[in-house]
Amino acid sequence: MNVLAYYTLSSYTVNVAALEESFAKRLPRYPALPATLLGRLAVDNNQRGKRFGELLLIDALKKSLDAAMQVASLAVIVEALDERALSFYIKYGFKQFDQEPMKLYLPMKSVEELCQAIQ
Ligand SMILES: CC(C)(COP(=O)(O)OP(=O)(O)OC[C@H]1O[C@@H](n2cnc3c(N)ncnc32)[C@H](O)[C@@H]1OP(=O)(O)O)[C@@H](O)C(=O)NCCC(=O)NCCS
């Protein structure tokens, strides 16, 4: 059996001071808050460019949103492997952390809007 694509989701903790002020000011006043880490998103080399990456990303965001209804999570976090992965995530609205530009976040509110827009 060939694996076409995969990703992982896990719990994560975000340092609130690392977030953009406009987003951070609307969050509870704690130094660290829960988030969801989307890891290892990848599509088989021979299957790239066929929108599987997008399908997988949307699937991961929907699952993250569903989970956040039960257990709090302020955003989905990703760590881009390289500049290409970085532009892939920025295309879907992810924002870079100022101090760690290869790390990005998408606030759960934006995840919700994105999921609604593609329904
Ligand atoms: C990044 C990755 C998941 C994209 O998957 P894919 O199936 O090839 O991408 P899609 O066909 O779904 O493309 C969706 C959109 O993202 C864009 N895109 C895809 N790969 C991109 C890249 N490397 N850089 C910039 N944009 C990219 C596509 O052009 C498309 O945009 P469009 O609607 O404007 O045409 C895939 O290239 C991959 O597995 N890369 C190696 C692992 C990796 O970098 N993972 C990221 C986590 S670190």
Side-chain angles (χ1 to χ4, degrees):
M1 187 183 70
N2 294 330
V3 176
L4 179 69
Y6 54 82
Y7 66 80
T8 64
L9 289 175
S10 53
S11 299
Y12 196 74
T13 304
V14 167
N15 175 7
V16 175
L19 298 167
E20 211 173 66
E21 174 61 22
S22 59
F23 176 44
K25 73 179 182 198
R26 288 184 272 125
L27 298 171
R29 299 280 155 203
Y30 293 104
L33 285 172
T36 305
L37 180 68
L38 166 58
R40 300 171 182 273
L41 174 73
V43 173
D44 182 290
N45 264 329
N46 299 318
Q47 302 295 334
R48 291 193 188 161
K50 298 180 180 174
R51 310 217 77 84
F52 289 125
E54 178 172 273
L55 263 178
L56 218 61
L57 177 63
I58 300 297
D59 186 68
L61 295 178
K62 279 184 178 164
K63 285 200 171 81
S64 304
L65 183 62
D66 283 351
M69 303 289 179
Q70 306 288 330
V71 180
S73 169
L74 67 92
V76 174
I77 312 295
V78 292
E79 290 187 25
L81 285 176
D82 52 28
E83 292 296 324
R84 288 161 64 204
L86 192 66
S87 10
F88 173 75
Y89 288 122
I90 288 175
K91 186 179 148 48
Y92 294 95
F94 280 80
K95 297 184 166 103
Q96 291 165 277
F97 283 83
D98 278 349
Q99 306 299 321
E100 290 171 276
M102 297 305 275
K103 194 161 137 187
L104 304 98
Y105 65 96
L106 188 64
M108 211 46 86
K109 182 83 188 140
S110 307
V111 172
E112 194 175 356
E113 286 165 4
L114 191 62
C115 290
Q116 278 169 0
I118 50 119
Q119 260 173 11

